[in-house]
Amino acid sequence: MKRYLMALALLVAACAPQVTQAPEVRPELRAEAFYPAATGLEWSYLPEGEPLSNPPYRVRVEGPAVFQGEEVLRFRSFGRGENRVYYRGVGPFGVRLFGFEDPSARVVFAPPILEYPSEGLLAVGYRWSGESEVRATLLTPQGEKPLASGRLAYTFEVLEEKEVRVPAGVFRVFRIRQRYRDEKGEALYEVWFAPKVGEVRTREGRLLTDRNFR
């Protein structure tokens, strides 16, 4: 049960192939914010090393929503059989992850995980950390059923700022190491974030191939 909880909390999943289309570029969409989160923004990704002909994963900002009584934004991740909605708060504090849902389960972080700090704090050498209670429930036609619960600690650190080349182009990014820990052990991930662009490399090792805004 604890291993299942860690797998949910670290937001990883195995997915079956599914064909998806490239995002349509919409000239009216622009990323004015340091952490882009305008409704309609969309990103496409491929796992590192895969050919560009493979079907991508996509992330889309679907707009405002309410999750566990909190006003948040819906970010949908889909493609290759994946269909998951993440609930985030984006503001002067940075980016907070309140939880996520897929068709069969809901995961809640209390307090929410601080994925990114306020804009002025994101710099080489900056570290932030926290601890959340993770509650997972199974979604069934008869209602929700408790699935797992436990504590998850995390520590994130900005390792460096550098220029990288990915299929979508060349970007100046912050390399961020993410460390998650529970009573069974820890897991390490690396994310590349470009201001006003978004994640150029996700924690799953997916590289940005396209986006529908400039």
Side-chain angles (χ1 to χ4, degrees):
M1 186 66 75
K2 289 292 185 180
R3 283 300 185 189
Y4 182 73
L5 173 64
M6 174 65 88
L8 284 171
L10 298 184
L11 323 178
V12 294
C15 303
Q18 175 177 306
V19 176
T20 61
Q21 302 296 319
E24 177 186 358
V25 176
R26 295 169 55 184
E28 73 275 15
L29 289 177
R30 299 182 62 84
E32 303 294 347
F34 189 83
Y35 296 119
T39 300
L41 296 187
E42 189 171 306
W43 300 259
S44 292
Y45 297 92
L46 281 175
E48 194 167 357
E50 283 197 3
L52 294 178
S53 57
N54 283 6
Y57 294 93
R58 298 165 68 185
V59 175
R60 177 188 299 149
V61 183
E62 293 190 330
V66 175
F67 182 75
Q68 302 294 302
E70 299 284 348
E71 294 184 1
V72 295
L73 290 170
R74 288 167 55 99
F75 289 73
R76 184 176 298 277
S77 178
F78 59 103
R80 302 196 188 191
E82 181 173 288
N83 184 18
R84 185 176 294 127
V85 176
Y86 296 90
Y87 296 94
R88 293 184 168 98
V90 182
F93 49 79
V95 181
R96 295 173 180 159
L97 177 65
F98 286 78
F100 65 91
E101 294 176 337
D102 62 27
S104 62
R106 173 182 296 128
V107 174
V108 178
F109 301 107
I113 292 174
L114 183 62
E115 292 187 301
Y116 292 96
S118 61
E119 171 184 341
L121 294 177
L122 196 66
V124 177
Y126 184 71
R127 299 178 62 185
W128 66 100
S129 60
E131 185 172 314
S132 294
E133 168 109 19
V134 185
R135 299 191 303 272
T137 55
L138 188 65
L139 304 179
T140 72
Q142 294 73 38
E144 295 185 34
K145 294 183 179 180
L147 191 59
S149 65
R151 303 294 296 180
L152 181 72
Y154 62 91
T155 300
F156 298 164
E157 181 179 5
V158 182
L159 301 177
E160 66 174 331
E161 184 179 4
K162 64 180 294 187
E163 189 175 273
V164 298
R165 180 180 294 275
V166 297
V170 177
F171 300 93
R172 190 77 182 175
V173 304
F174 292 101
R175 284 184 57 228
I176 301 170
R177 181 175 60 202
Q178 299 182 338
R179 185 189 305 269
Y180 296 89
R181 301 182 305 280
D182 70 3
E183 64 181 32
K184 295 297 184 179
E186 69 175 31
L188 292 175
Y189 295 89
E190 183 174 306
V191 172
W192 300 346
F193 173 79
K196 298 188 177 183
V197 174
E199 290 186 352
V200 172
R201 182 187 191 275
T202 71
R203 63 171 59 85
E204 299 90 354
R206 300 170 186 173
L207 299 180
L208 183 68
T209 60
D210 204 357
R211 53 193 166 119
N212 72 343
F213 63 96
R214 294 293 180 263

